[in-house]
């Protein structure tokens, strides 16, 4: 699921019926078989959706909610997507059947037609991608090996070897200042706060269930986390370290002592409150 830049619509992929549902109108956009990840291109008023069965990425016009142009043949089984801040390059993760052969491809979107670049071998099963706001690096979360890999966007190559951080690094999100990352550790029911430069864990934030996908609100102030096993969506404020304030590495490990549950039409929403009231 992804929110439109203005927050008006939520676009949800539906594997069973091969479409993308727009929550407030309950319409379905036919894009093909088993669509998965979505990423928005705000200035072009598009979103891109990955289709692992077809090995393609499809562009959808958000004004008309219709497919635009031909599917982009990226090959393999495309899953996670990430777009550079200037929207000129789309990164596509391929979690191949061979768990040791995971790759990431860059698609040049600046020309008249998309140009698919060569695969960058990252190994494992890359399930999450995050481009830092300054556009210089792409972080790749490997759910099989629990590692983070870093791709230099200038050279199109991996920087060093993947770093083992988690039991299962399912997704990754970048802070607006490019200095920290949040990693969904699917094997430990936790969010890992990671220094983006050293790739070291500075805090572990416990969750009531296994996290999967991450999303950051447009202003960068809130992190949203899906908890599929309990049908829930959790949210948490992302604060920068204040002058003279505590080290982010000493963040509280719990998401809060009080849990308030709302029961909407489908599943549950959990609002989790930290001890300081946030």
């Amino acid at each position: 699921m992804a929110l439109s830049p203005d927050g008006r619509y939520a676009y949800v992929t539906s594997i069973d019926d091969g479409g993308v549902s727009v929550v407030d109108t309950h319409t379905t956009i036919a894009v093909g078989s088993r669509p998965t990840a979505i990423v928005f291109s705000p200035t072009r008023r598009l979103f891109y959706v990955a289709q692992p069965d077809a090995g393609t990425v499809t562009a959808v016009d958000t004004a008309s909610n219709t497919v635009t142009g031909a599917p982009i043949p990226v090959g393999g089984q495309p899953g996670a997507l990430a777009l550079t801040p200037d929207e000129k390059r789309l990164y596509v993760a391929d979690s191949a059947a061979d768990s040791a052969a995971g790759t990431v491809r860059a698609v040049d979107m600046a020309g008249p037609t998309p140009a698919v670049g060569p695969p960058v071998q990252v190994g494992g099963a890359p399930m999450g991608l995050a481009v830092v706001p300054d556009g210089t690096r792409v972080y790749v979360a490997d759910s099989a090996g629990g590692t983070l890999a870093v791709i230099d966007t200038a050279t199109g190559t991996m920087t060093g070897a993947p770093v083992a951080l988690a039991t299962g690094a399912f997704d990754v999100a970048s802070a607006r200042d490019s200095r920290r990352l949040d990693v969904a550790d699917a094997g430990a029911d936790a969010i890992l706060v990671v220094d983006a430069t050293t790739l070291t864990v500075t805090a572990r934030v416990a969750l009531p269930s296994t996290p999967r996908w991450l999303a950051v609100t447009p202003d960068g102030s809130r992190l949203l986390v899906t908890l599929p096993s309990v049908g829930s969506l959790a949210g948490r404020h992302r604060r920068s370290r204040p002058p003279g304030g505590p080290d982010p590495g000493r963040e509280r490990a719990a998401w809060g002592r009080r849990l308030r549950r709302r029961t909407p039409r489908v599943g549950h929403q959990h609002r989790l409150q930290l001890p300081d009231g946030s």
Side-chain angles (χ1 to χ4, degrees):
M1 184 272 288
L3 285 175
S4 62
D6 62 6
R8 183 178 176 185
Y9 298 104
Y11 293 82
V12 184
T13 56
S14 177
I15 293 176
D16 291 339
D17 64 13
V20 176
S21 296
V22 186
V23 170
D24 73 338
T25 61
H26 299 284
T27 59
T28 298
I29 306 167
V31 296
S33 174
R34 280 175 41 85
T36 54
I38 289 177
V39 66
F40 273 92
S41 179
T43 60
R44 293 184 173 136
R45 298 183 180 180
L46 301 172
F47 69 82
Y48 300 101
V49 56
Q51 298 159 287
D53 283 359
T56 59
V57 173
T58 296
V60 176
D61 185 300
T62 58
S64 62
N65 287 332
T66 57
V67 171
T68 179
I72 305 169
V74 295
Q77 298 175 6
L81 303 175
L83 198 63
T84 53
D86 61 10
E87 302 177 30
K88 293 181 179 180
R89 196 173 296 165
L90 176 69
Y91 286 89
V92 184
D94 173 17
S95 296
D98 181 352
S99 62
T103 62
V104 174
R105 289 179 182 268
V107 183
D108 187 346
M109 309 299 291
T113 58
V116 181
V120 179
Q121 298 286 338
V122 295
M127 295 296 294
L129 295 176
V131 181
V132 293
D134 63 15
T136 59
R137 302 179 303 281
V138 181
Y139 291 92
V140 186
D142 170 19
S143 64
T147 65
L148 270 185
V150 185
I151 295 175
D152 185 317
T153 58
T155 63
T157 59
M158 190 165 64
T159 302
V163 177
L165 293 178
T167 306
F170 202 88
D171 200 6
V172 57
S174 173
R176 296 180 74 184
D177 61 7
S178 303
R179 293 186 298 179
R180 64 173 272 181
L181 305 166
D182 292 294
V183 177
D185 188 349
D189 293 356
I191 296 295
L192 306 182
V193 181
V194 177
D195 184 296
T197 301
T198 63
L199 295 187
T200 55
V201 176
T202 62
R204 296 176 184 271
V205 184
L207 291 170
S209 182
T210 301
R212 285 290 189 267
W213 303 112
L214 305 177
V216 180
T217 54
D219 64 2
S221 66
R222 195 165 181 83
L223 177 71
L224 304 178
V225 185
T226 63
L227 307 173
S229 63
V230 293
S232 301
L233 179 68
R236 126 178 240 275
H237 289 290
R238 309 166 91 218
R239 292 191 179 90
S240 298
R241 181 182 180 181
D247 190 326
R250 298 182 181 275
E251 290 186 41
R252 281 172 290 274
W255 275 59
R257 300 179 186 279
R258 186 170 65 180
L259 180 68
R260 290 188 287 179
R261 175 177 294 177
R262 297 174 183 173
T263 307
R265 183 175 301 173
V266 179
H268 301 287
Q269 291 180 339
H270 289 176
R271 182 175 178 179
L272 299 152
Q273 187 165 343
L274 290 172
D276 64 2
S278 63

